[in-house]
Amino acid sequence: MLIANPKATSASRRARDLFVRAFSGELNLEIATTGHRGHATQLARKALDEQYDLVIALGGDGTINEAVNGLLTHGPSPDLPALAVLPSGSANVFARALGLPNDPHRSAKHILTALRTDSHRNVGLGLADDRYFTFSGGVGLDAEVVRVVEALRLSGARAYPTLYLRTLLRQFFAVTDRRRPALTVECPGLPPVSDLFLAVVSNTAPWTYLGPFPINPSPLSGFDSGLAVFGARSLDVRPVLHVIGQMMLPHTTPRRGGGGVSLHDATEVTIRSSRPIAFQLDGDYLGEREEVVFRSVPNALRIVV
């Protein structure tokens, strides 16, 4: 089953038709086009219930997240359909973390080669309360930015990197509460870390991209390890600039200094807030929460890559 999101930033009918022609000689292919939020989850669940061998997700990270949650309706199992990813969104973090080109046409060639050679890997995922995520979840400022960008996109704005950057700057300087930290991070066996302004839980690296540039608060994170957590104790301009500078450097050590807090390879993380605060998973805004429990799920899904 090819699940295609026609509203993804760079997914057009022409691109989808090219994929159909490329795959039709190799596979017994059913085309399913999403029509509303949550539809990819329903379609992937149908593929699960009807024992399809493979689900191909053509879309952005939100479409992929929905497909993953549909496939994992009953939890991980070796009998689940495999998943292939054709990135056609704005950031495509999950696909790029898998090593796929940030282009749907070039990725299609990679996936065809992987199918012909039966090449795949098992990846670990994260679970936030009852929803799986592929690369990250955030509580605080980053989720506030996602919330505003989603509203702008509904009004017709395109999800270019400059839109995220403008929204981040406006949110940081004019909207978000930079005086009253609300968050506490708890990991079993470790003392709680409190007085945080934001927390990012990563299942892989990088956390996101600004155009071609990876933003990497937890560079040790990966699909074969537990969850990583980055938290900010300060939203003053100087320490924030220090941490952002570290995040954009190509080194593989945890971020330190500038008020940052780093945890790595956690099996479970609980984030509590003293007030309702914005929450996002894989770039989708999911409302305000006062508590979220994140868990690592090893070898959750088989990916064609």
Side-chain angles (χ1 to χ4, degrees):
M1 180 184 289
L2 171 63
I3 299 175
N5 177 8
K7 296 183 179 180
T9 303
S10 60
S12 64
R13 182 178 297 276
R14 177 176 173 272
R16 188 193 68 184
D17 291 344
L18 286 172
F19 296 135
V20 171
R21 287 197 295 271
F23 284 116
S24 61
E26 308 277 339
L27 306 172
N28 179 8
L29 190 66
E30 176 181 339
I31 312 301
T33 302
T34 60
H36 53 82
R37 188 165 183 167
H39 198 186
T41 297
Q42 298 170 9
L43 293 169
R45 188 180 301 131
K46 175 178 182 287
L48 171 69
D49 292 341
E50 297 182 8
Q51 299 182 342
Y52 279 65
D53 297 308
L54 173 67
V55 167
I56 306 167
L58 167 59
D61 287 308
T63 300
I64 294 165
N65 178 280
E66 289 188 7
V68 165
N69 277 275
L71 291 174
L72 290 167
T73 297
H74 308 299
S77 165
D79 299 325
L80 295 182
L83 175 69
V85 174
L86 295 174
S88 60
S90 55
N92 304 312
V93 179
F94 181 58
R96 291 159 87 174
L98 290 169
L100 288 167
N102 190 32
D103 174 85
H105 300 84
R106 291 169 58 206
S107 290
K109 296 178 181 178
H110 282 251
I111 297 304
L112 277 170
T113 300
L115 287 170
R116 289 168 181 152
T117 59
D118 193 26
S119 177
H120 65 271
R121 64 175 292 190
N122 292 328
V123 301
L125 299 174
L127 182 66
D129 291 339
D130 58 354
R131 180 160 175 165
Y132 291 91
F133 63 99
T134 62
F135 62 92
S136 80
V139 182
L141 177 61
D142 75 315
E144 294 174 8
V145 171
V146 170
R147 175 174 60 195
V148 175
V149 168
E150 282 193 5
L152 292 172
R153 292 184 69 179
L154 287 173
S155 65
R158 298 293 298 272
Y160 294 118
T162 51
L163 177 64
Y164 284 91
L165 184 58
R166 290 199 311 269
T167 303
L168 172 61
L169 292 173
R170 186 183 307 115
Q171 198 73 20
F172 180 83
F173 285 108
V175 181
T176 198
D177 188 338
R178 297 195 288 134
R179 296 189 177 188
R180 298 181 300 149
L183 301 179
T184 298
V185 172
E186 301 174 1
C187 290
L190 296 174
V193 180
S194 57
D195 296 328
L196 299 176
F197 286 91
L198 66 87
V200 174
V201 179
S202 296
N203 182 56
T204 190
W207 163 50
T208 190
Y209 287 86
L210 184 61
F213 304 107
I215 310 296
N216 215 344
S218 301
L220 296 179
S221 182
F223 293 122
D224 300 321
S225 64
L227 301 175
V229 185
F230 173 82
R233 290 189 185 276
S234 172
L235 289 184
D236 292 337
V237 173
R238 187 172 179 177
V240 166
L241 289 176
H242 174 83
V243 170
I244 290 174
Q246 284 197 327
M247 288 182 186
M248 299 189 73
L249 293 175
H251 60 143
T252 57
T253 56
R255 306 317 184 204
R256 301 188 182 279
V261 175
S262 294
L263 302 172
H264 179 64
D265 203 17
T267 57
E268 182 176 312
V269 178
T270 300
I271 298 178
R272 305 184 195 276
S273 177
S274 60
R275 59 181 182 270
I277 197 165
F279 168 55
Q280 65 86 17
L281 278 183
D282 285 351
D284 274 355
Y285 178 65
L286 298 180
E288 294 186 335
R289 302 288 179 89
E290 295 183 42
E291 179 179 311
V292 185
V293 179
F294 297 85
R295 295 181 176 87
S296 175
V297 186
N299 298 315
L301 201 58
R302 185 163 54 97
I303 307 292
V304 176
V305 68

